[in-house]
Amino acid sequence: MRPKESVSPKFAEAQEHFRLLVAGVEDYAIFLLDLDGHVISWNAGAQRIKGYRAEEIIGKHFSALYPPEDVQSGRPGRELEIARREGHYREEGWRLRKDGTSFWASVLINTVKDADGEISGFLKITRDLTQRRRAEDALRQSEERFRLLVETVEDYAIFMLDPQGNITSWNRGAERIKGYRAEEILGRHFSTFYRPEDVRSGHPQHELAVASSEGRYQEEGWRVRKDGSLFWADVTITAVHDDSGTLRGFAKVTRDLTQRREAQQQQLQLVGEQAARAEAEKANQIKDEFLAVLSHELRTPLNAIVGWAHLLRNPGSLPPEQVTRGLEAIERNATIQTQIVSDVLDISRITSGKIRLSPRRVDVRDVVAAAVDTTRLAAEAKRIELQSTLPPEPQIVWADADRLQQVVLNLLTNAVKFTPRGGRVEATLTARDSRIELTVRDNGMGIAPEFLPHVFETFRQADSSSSRTHGGLGLGLAIVKRLVELHGGQVRALSEGEGLGTAVTVTLPVLSVTGAAPAAQSSEAPAAIHLAGISVLLVDDHADSREVLTAFLEDLGVVVYCAAGAGEGLALLRKARPDVLVSDLEMPGESGYALIQKIRALPPEAGGLTPAIALTAYARTDERMQALAAGFQAHLAKPALPEELAATIAWVVGWTRG
């Protein structure tokens, strides 16, 4: 603490007046610093936000409120220097509470002058904006998921126009169909894709005018590729308005129908070719219906997220309960979008043969019980009686427990969804010879006989209209069928008709209780792994991933160093010399491959032989081999179970299981 005589009497008087004025303010941390940055006053808001009582912090340097890396870089001193030079300093950034947790803060530092105009100290005002930042992060992640989903579509050219018709976005399908790369076409007018005679007649402007007045424009016609060739296109233009009704632009979806048109013009008469074309058109119709449903299902939660995020930009004008409700709505709807994207990606992985199973010995009773517990809240909300009938003895199968639970959850969720209030849903597990049968039965709306053969098909729904009663993409049962078949089982659905309920039965081969599981394939984690004292350097550009893995490893006694990129990770490795490196592979700037190459180039005494684990979303065999060839000792696919990571860390450092 600075000596008392270093504070002028005038400043002391002003300090007392200031203390009385702001002492009771709780929404802002307001306190005074002396010329060197020591805390000399502390209000109720500062105690609430930062966690220190006045007697704990007064006299300490205000750098105690900053993360260690900011203190090491001299950031607190620079802030005071800027405030001294310019009269104030303002920023948003991370700060520390007494308990070590971080919060996102709006910070203002003003100089305080005495009656002679001399700087006698500083006034610091801090506001906790963590809730606002979380809401903005949730919105940004939701928008990014939607953008990535659209960008990967190759069969449709999907892009955005501003209100004047200039191109503002470009997906992979647009590049494939029209021939332009994004950097070649962004900013240009969409009339570039039209024949000269269509441009002269004002046809592009006519399309936008109709879409603007009626909300939508659709036609088939000739369009021009980059190389000058023509293709027959199915075009849909949809007007996009904001919450106030202002036109923000247009969404344009183009499909190349050239082959279909040529086939129609050739007037093929063979029955087989006609049937094939009809089937192709039906498949296209199903895809169109799916895309329409997908757009609706994504936009519905996105509307709530965008609306609440807009309101929460100024949370001070909202009552606390409304702020809480808004954040809950954003989280709930972001979760819905995550599930939608997960279902679409699951179907993609399954149909392309890239699904990854981690089989082990599983008691199906535990899987069914857990799924029933998870579904119970939704059932109770509709006053549906949810029951399970399980045999007393273990029912062991060789399966991926997570994927098997996904099957049961999909069946139970589907049954609850299509069962009216006051209905009944029952899950029954029985053993039949060398098989285990799980039947999920409900007394809900049932399935029409003509749709029953198609109930497990991808992109098929009994009602795909915009006025349908039940939401969803219609992928749940398709995922169930594929996952069950991957486990060597079968699934069938029975229904007496509409209004007469449905029974879906999954059959799986039994694994003998006394039989040994294939050791080479077992991925079951040990019950306990001793990692106390091990140090791990975790390199991942995704903050949430770093946070959850850090929490898990620290709970096992691991010393964790975190880095958000390859450069920071290399510097930390040289400084901290961890026992193990765990690194993501795909990161902005330098990749994990570049990082491991630089580490392996170091001498052993500088960390060049540090054991390394690649943790990545890329899980194919060739990608695993590439990681091992680059210098990693192990490869784990995201999302990796914490137990998997712990076991792999123990393995690469040669520790034994407890």
Side-chain angles (χ1 to χ4, degrees):
M1 182 185 298
R2 283 170 52 89
K4 292 183 178 179
E5 55 269 25
S6 65
V7 179
S8 70
K10 292 181 179 180
F11 183 60
E13 181 181 351
Q15 177 183 338
E16 178 61 16
H17 179 70
F18 167 83
R19 187 190 66 78
L20 294 174
L21 182 65
V22 305
V25 176
E26 293 190 352
D27 291 334
Y28 293 81
I30 306 174
F31 52 97
L32 287 167
L33 308 175
D34 66 14
L35 287 170
D36 294 329
H38 297 90
V39 179
I40 56 178
S41 75
W42 197 250
N43 80 326
Q47 179 172 333
R48 185 185 68 82
I49 294 173
K50 298 176 180 290
Y52 292 92
R53 298 190 305 276
E55 60 267 27
E56 296 176 310
I57 196 64
I58 289 179
K60 291 186 177 180
H61 196 270
F62 82 118
S63 59
L65 310 175
Y66 287 69
E69 58 270 25
D70 287 349
V71 177
Q72 293 171 2
S73 69
R75 186 185 191 90
R78 289 197 302 274
E79 293 180 1
L80 293 188
E81 188 58 34
I82 293 172
R84 190 190 307 270
R85 183 174 64 251
E86 300 181 9
H88 69 277
Y89 174 84
R90 186 189 304 270
E91 75 154 6
E92 288 187 10
W94 292 108
R95 296 295 185 269
L96 288 182
R97 297 187 179 92
K98 176 186 175 182
D99 61 6
T101 59
S102 298
F103 68 101
W104 187 256
S106 170
V107 176
L108 173 65
I109 303 176
N110 278 332
T111 57
V112 177
K113 298 182 180 180
D114 60 21
D116 298 326
E118 296 293 325
I119 298 176
S120 53
F122 302 89
L123 168 66
K124 195 167 190 290
I125 302 174
T126 302
R127 184 181 176 195
D128 185 352
L129 298 181
T130 307
Q131 288 184 332
R132 188 198 73 181
R133 179 176 174 88
R134 286 173 179 167
E136 291 173 346
D137 287 344
L139 173 61
R140 186 163 48 250
Q141 291 171 10
S142 176
E143 291 174 338
E144 179 66 7
R145 284 193 293 269
F146 181 77
R147 183 187 65 80
L148 291 173
L149 183 64
V150 170
E151 284 185 351
T152 56
V153 174
E154 293 191 353
D155 293 335
Y156 291 79
I158 305 174
F159 53 98
M160 298 294 297
L161 309 175
D162 66 16
Q164 290 72 44
N166 299 306
I167 300 163
T168 59
S169 73
W170 197 247
N171 83 324
R172 190 178 300 172
E175 179 176 338
R176 185 185 68 82
I177 293 172
K178 296 178 180 290
Y180 292 91
R181 298 190 305 276
E183 59 269 22
E184 297 176 309
I185 198 65
L186 290 178
R188 295 173 64 177
H189 197 270
F190 83 114
S191 59
T192 302
F193 311 130
Y194 290 71
R195 297 177 300 176
E197 57 268 32
D198 292 333
V199 176
R200 288 193 296 268
S201 69
H203 190 65
Q205 288 75 12
H206 168 72
E207 292 181 358
L208 295 188
V210 173
S212 181
S213 62
E214 300 181 9
R216 188 170 182 266
Y217 177 86
Q218 185 171 11
E219 74 159 7
E220 289 189 12
W222 292 110
R223 295 296 184 267
V224 182
R225 296 188 180 92
K226 176 186 175 183
D227 62 6
S229 62
L230 298 177
F231 68 99
W232 188 255
D234 177 7
V235 176
T236 301
I237 302 177
T238 304
V240 178
H241 298 85
D242 61 19
D243 293 339
S244 65
T246 303
L247 178 66
R248 292 302 185 187
F250 303 90
K252 195 167 188 292
V253 180
T254 301
R255 187 158 51 124
D256 184 355
L257 299 181
T258 307
Q259 291 183 343
R260 190 191 73 177
R261 178 178 171 81
E262 291 174 351
Q264 291 172 341
Q265 290 177 338
Q266 292 172 2
Q267 298 179 347
L268 299 176
Q269 300 299 318
L270 295 176
V271 175
E273 292 176 342
Q274 290 177 337
R277 184 167 63 248
E279 188 62 25
E281 291 175 353
K282 183 61 178 178
N284 284 333
Q285 178 188 346
I286 293 171
K287 288 182 181 179
D288 287 345
E289 292 172 353
F290 171 73
L291 285 175
V293 171
L294 176 61
S295 176
H296 175 270
E297 293 297 316
L298 286 172
R299 285 180 179 275
T300 298
L302 186 61
N303 184 60
I305 292 171
V306 171
W308 275 111
H310 179 74
L311 290 175
L312 291 173
R313 287 183 181 276
N314 186 19
S317 64
L318 301 174
E321 62 272 13
Q322 194 168 7
V323 172
T324 300
R325 191 162 66 252
L327 292 171
E328 290 173 349
I330 288 175
E331 182 179 9
R332 182 170 59 254
N333 283 278
T335 300
I336 291 172
Q337 283 201 330
T338 300
Q339 185 59 53
I340 292 172
V341 174
S342 295
D343 285 347
V344 173
L345 292 178
D346 274 344
I347 281 292
S348 175
R349 294 189 190 104
I350 291 170
T351 55
S352 62
K354 297 178 182 178
I355 193 72
R356 174 179 175 265
L357 297 181
S358 299
R360 59 185 175 88
R361 292 168 60 91
V362 177
D363 188 344
V364 185
R365 297 179 307 166
D366 296 337
V367 174
V368 175
V372 169
D373 288 341
T374 301
T375 315
R376 192 171 301 282
L377 187 61
E380 291 175 350
K382 294 178 66 176
R383 297 182 181 177
I384 291 174
E385 181 184 356
L386 178 60
Q387 296 182 342
S388 61
T389 303
L390 307 177
E393 64 279 357
Q395 302 297 314
I396 306 299
V397 297
W398 184 249
D400 185 315
D402 293 333
R403 290 299 185 179
L404 191 56
Q405 186 164 34
Q406 183 180 0
V407 167
V408 184
L409 271 174
N410 277 2
L411 294 178
L412 289 172
T413 302
N414 219 45
V416 170
K417 178 180 178 181
F418 291 102
T419 300
R421 294 179 67 84
R424 186 182 72 257
V425 174
E426 183 178 7
T428 304
L429 187 64
T430 56
R432 298 185 184 277
D433 300 327
S434 60
R435 306 187 311 267
I436 292 175
E437 285 190 356
L438 168 67
T439 299
V440 176
R441 189 184 311 274
D442 65 69
N443 62 348
M445 61 184 296
I447 303 172
E450 63 271 19
F451 186 73
L452 193 58
H454 308 289
V455 71
F456 293 106
E457 292 179 11
T458 306
F459 305 145
R460 291 296 292 268
Q461 296 189 83
D463 180 8
S464 59
S465 67
S466 60
S467 59
R468 61 203 177 109
T469 304
H470 303 281
L473 299 180
L475 297 178
L477 290 180
I479 292 173
V480 165
K481 182 175 186 293
R482 302 298 180 88
L483 289 178
V484 169
E485 290 174 347
L486 285 173
H487 284 87
Q490 297 176 332
V491 60
R492 65 182 184 275
L494 297 175
S495 178
E496 297 298 324
E498 294 182 342
L500 299 176
T502 304
V504 180
T505 299
V506 171
T507 304
L508 295 171
V510 172
L511 178 68
S512 172
V513 175
T514 58
Q521 300 181 36
S522 176
S523 62
E524 194 168 6
I529 296 176
H530 295 291
L531 298 179
I534 286 184
S535 59
V536 171
L537 171 58
L538 181 60
V539 183
D540 195 319
D541 63 296
H542 192 267
D544 288 344
S545 297
R546 294 197 306 273
E547 183 176 354
V548 69
L549 290 177
T550 297
F552 168 75
L553 292 174
E554 287 181 343
D555 191 50
L556 295 179
V558 175
V559 178
V560 182
Y561 304 97
C562 288
E568 182 183 353
L570 183 62
L572 262 177
L573 181 132
R574 287 171 167 166
K575 180 179 179 181
R577 296 296 305 279
D579 297 310
V580 181
L581 166 70
V582 177
S583 177
D584 192 8
L585 292 182
E586 298 299 324
M587 296 181 289
E590 288 188 294
S591 68
Y593 293 114
L595 173 60
I596 195 64
Q597 289 172 0
K598 290 183 177 180
I599 291 174
R600 294 297 178 245
L602 296 173
E605 62 273 13
L609 299 179
T610 303
I613 301 169
L615 184 61
T616 174
Y618 296 92
R620 293 181 302 185
T621 301
D622 57 339
E623 290 158 343
R624 177 178 179 273
M625 297 305 296
Q626 183 181 355
L628 298 179
F632 289 96
Q633 276 68 46
H635 175 280
L636 289 178
K638 292 182 178 179
L641 292 174
E643 293 82 358
E644 284 185 289
L645 178 59
T648 306
I649 290 173
W651 176 73
V652 299
V653 297
W655 280 45
T656 59
R657 300 174 180 177

